[in-house]
Amino acid sequence: MKKLLIILPFLLNASGLKAILNHTQDANLVKAKELQVEAKQKELGSVNSEKLPTIDLGAFASSSNPRNLMQPGTIYGASVKLKYTIYDGGLKSAKVEQKRFELAGAKFDKSFFSKSLYLKIVQDYYNIKSLDALILALKQKQKTIAGQLKKTKVLVASGFATEDNLYSLKAALALVKDNINSLRFQRKSLLSLMSLKANYKIKRLGNSHFVKRAVAFKANDLIKSLRMQQSAVLSGAKMVKSATKAHIDLDASYNVYGYDRSDLMHPKGLDKQAKINLTAGIRVFDGGAAKEKAQAIKLQAMALGLQIKQKLQEQRVQYRLSRQKLNVAREHIKAMRAQYKAQSKLFATVKKQYESGLADYVNYLNALSDMVSAKANLAKARYELEIAYALYYYNAGYDIREFINN
């Protein structure tokens, strides 16, 4: 019960992998991507507003001294002007379409960046867990050597063992301690970098695992972003073509006038005046400029199409390799499990021989080292399988958070 009370706070303060990944939404680089999405949203709102009519309010006043003939000395007034494009050849619609594609592309770009960051954090997470397993194995080795050192001191004092055994065990104990310190520094460095990526102070790691199941392939968000960019570029071609189509504009204004310093030789003018202008026009010749611009834009879209094709092929290759890596990782676990079982039995045998004086300290320490390495390698192999599943889901085009059990 006492041991459980000691372990419980440790488990409660541990950070699960999914919680760590969710915290990356507060990371500065992710926020930067979010601001880019918001900027594209504002651009879309601005272009949508361009489709609405504009209304301008104005006022004026003028005074002449001496007065001009047939004009009052002081004239003032106010006006309201409305401008509306009835038809612009599809220019504004193409702009709205382009901004929508750019907004969708920015969202996919942010999503792909976040998913890539998740994968990096997952790799850090399980690399740290591997270091933890190795440190734990070395601590067990340290404890075993310390126990043998204590026994050897008694045997040396009694004359049943030589001092060279004692010195060798002390040296081995110091080396293990040095290795543990080195691994702890590596762990601290890796944990600090992972905390920086997640923008989250991580003290302890929980025990998170991936759900193991097969998934179908789908294009990742990078490819989707490129597709949106391609569509946005093609919308630009529509904008260029709109310049050669008919344009119809409506202008309406209403003016109110006031006058001072007027007489028969300087009469007042109109009190109010309303005007409506309807204009239409079409560009019949531009030297082929619009056509050339449209063709240039289509070539850019073709270039993006080739880039999309290449990225899709690369993702498919990575997906196939990820599936193969899962099989390799599973077989590696089997091999490491068998190795650990064999080394454990060998160490138990050598330990009995050493304690009976039938084996020297060299064989004992070698057997102990082999067993410890085998145990750490087994744990590492299991964590490598977790990373392999993260790569598999990532290369299949999914959000790896969907497959984490906690």
Side-chain angles (χ1 to χ4, degrees):
M1 183 66 182
K2 184 178 180 181
K3 186 176 181 181
L4 179 62
L5 291 174
I6 294 173
I7 296 174
L8 188 59
F10 178 86
L11 295 175
L12 292 175
N13 292 327
S15 299
L17 183 54
K18 184 176 286 188
I20 294 171
L21 296 183
N22 287 336
H23 271 282
T24 60
Q25 299 305 313
D26 296 326
N28 291 330
L29 293 178
V30 176
K31 284 184 176 179
K33 291 289 183 180
E34 183 62 37
L35 290 175
Q36 291 175 6
V37 172
E38 290 182 18
K40 291 297 179 183
Q41 184 73 59
K42 295 296 182 182
E43 289 178 12
L44 175 59
S46 175
V47 173
N48 272 321
S49 298
E50 289 180 8
K51 298 174 71 174
L52 301 174
T54 60
I55 300 174
D56 298 316
L57 299 177
F60 67 93
S62 65
S63 179
S64 302
N65 192 13
R67 293 176 292 177
N68 296 318
L69 185 63
M70 303 304 294
Q71 184 177 318
T74 301
I75 304 173
Y76 51 89
S79 65
V80 178
K81 294 181 180 181
L82 179 144
K83 295 184 71 175
Y84 179 63
T85 300
I86 297 174
Y87 183 68
D88 61 3
L91 175 62
K92 291 179 182 176
S93 296
K95 278 186 177 180
V96 171
E97 183 182 74
Q98 184 184 58
K99 293 303 176 183
R100 282 176 178 167
F101 285 130
E102 288 180 357
L103 174 60
K107 288 180 178 178
F108 283 127
D109 183 59
K110 173 187 174 292
S111 179
F112 180 74
F113 178 83
S114 296
K115 290 176 181 178
S116 299
L117 185 59
Y118 298 156
L119 180 62
K120 293 176 182 177
I121 291 173
V122 166
Q123 291 171 326
D124 288 344
Y125 181 91
Y126 286 112
N127 285 333
I128 292 172
K129 297 288 283 184
S130 295
L131 286 175
D132 287 341
L134 181 54
I135 290 171
L136 180 60
L138 287 176
K139 283 183 176 179
Q140 292 175 347
K141 180 179 179 180
Q142 184 182 38
K143 184 178 180 181
T144 302
I145 294 175
Q148 287 298 331
L149 180 62
K150 186 176 181 180
K151 291 179 182 179
T152 303
K153 286 180 178 179
V154 174
L155 293 173
V156 170
S158 304
F160 293 102
T162 59
E163 290 189 348
D164 58 336
N165 288 356
L166 189 65
Y167 294 142
S168 296
L169 289 172
K170 285 183 178 180
L173 191 63
L175 183 60
V176 171
K177 184 177 180 180
D178 182 63
N179 289 338
I180 290 174
N181 290 335
S182 178
L183 290 172
R184 280 175 173 167
F185 177 75
Q186 290 181 40
R187 184 189 189 281
K188 184 178 180 180
S189 300
L190 198 54
L191 188 64
S192 297
L193 292 173
M194 185 171 70
S195 298
L196 182 63
K197 291 172 187 173
N199 196 33
Y200 175 56
K201 183 65 175 179
I202 305 168
K203 295 181 179 179
R204 300 184 183 91
L205 301 183
N207 292 312
S208 299
H209 300 280
F210 279 92
V211 175
K212 311 313 192 275
R213 66 183 179 88
V215 293
F217 176 87
K218 65 179 182 180
N220 62 30
D221 288 339
L222 173 61
I223 294 169
K224 292 176 183 177
S225 177
L226 289 172
R227 285 172 176 168
M228 293 300 103
Q229 291 179 39
Q230 185 184 41
S231 297
V233 168
L234 290 173
S235 296
K238 295 179 182 179
M239 293 164 58
V240 171
K241 288 181 179 179
S242 69
T244 63
K245 296 181 180 180
H247 287 66
I248 302 173
D249 297 302
L250 173 68
D251 293 315
S253 63
Y254 184 76
N255 298 274
V256 179
Y257 303 98
Y259 308 93
D260 285 329
R261 297 163 58 206
S262 60
D263 51 33
L264 291 175
M265 296 299 295
H266 303 87
K268 295 180 179 181
L270 296 171
D271 292 331
K272 300 175 182 179
Q273 185 181 49
K275 290 182 180 180
I276 296 178
N277 294 321
L278 185 65
T279 59
I282 186 170
R283 182 172 295 172
V284 296
F285 181 73
D286 65 354
K291 183 179 179 181
E292 292 293 331
K293 287 180 180 178
Q295 289 178 347
I297 290 172
K298 287 181 179 179
L299 289 173
Q300 293 177 23
M302 289 175 63
L304 280 170
L306 292 174
Q307 188 176 351
I308 291 168
K309 184 178 180 180
Q310 177 66 25
K311 291 295 181 182
L312 190 58
Q313 289 174 345
E314 289 176 3
Q315 188 192 345
R316 287 187 184 278
V317 169
Q318 292 299 327
Y319 172 68
R320 288 194 293 267
L321 291 174
S322 297
R323 286 194 303 181
Q324 294 172 14
K325 186 176 179 63
L326 290 177
N327 294 328
V328 172
R330 293 190 192 101
E331 292 301 318
H332 186 55
I333 289 175
K334 291 179 182 179
M336 291 301 98
R337 187 183 292 119
Q339 180 72 8
Y340 175 59
K341 185 177 180 180
Q343 292 298 335
S344 295
K345 289 183 177 180
L346 178 61
F347 173 69
T349 301
V350 173
K351 182 181 178 182
K352 289 180 180 178
Q353 292 175 347
Y354 176 74
E355 290 176 345
S356 302
L358 299 176
D360 60 17
Y361 66 90
V362 175
N363 291 329
Y364 173 77
L365 291 177
N366 287 340
L368 178 59
S369 297
D370 291 341
M371 184 194 69
V372 168
S373 296
K375 183 177 182 180
N377 287 337
L378 175 58
K380 184 179 180 181
R382 287 169 175 162
Y383 293 131
E384 284 176 348
L385 178 62
E386 299 294 333
I387 294 175
Y389 265 101
L391 283 166
Y392 170 63
Y393 296 136
Y394 172 81
N395 289 320
Y398 294 84
D399 185 336
I400 59 179
R401 293 178 301 174
E402 299 175 22
F403 305 94
I404 300 173
N405 62 356
N406 59 42

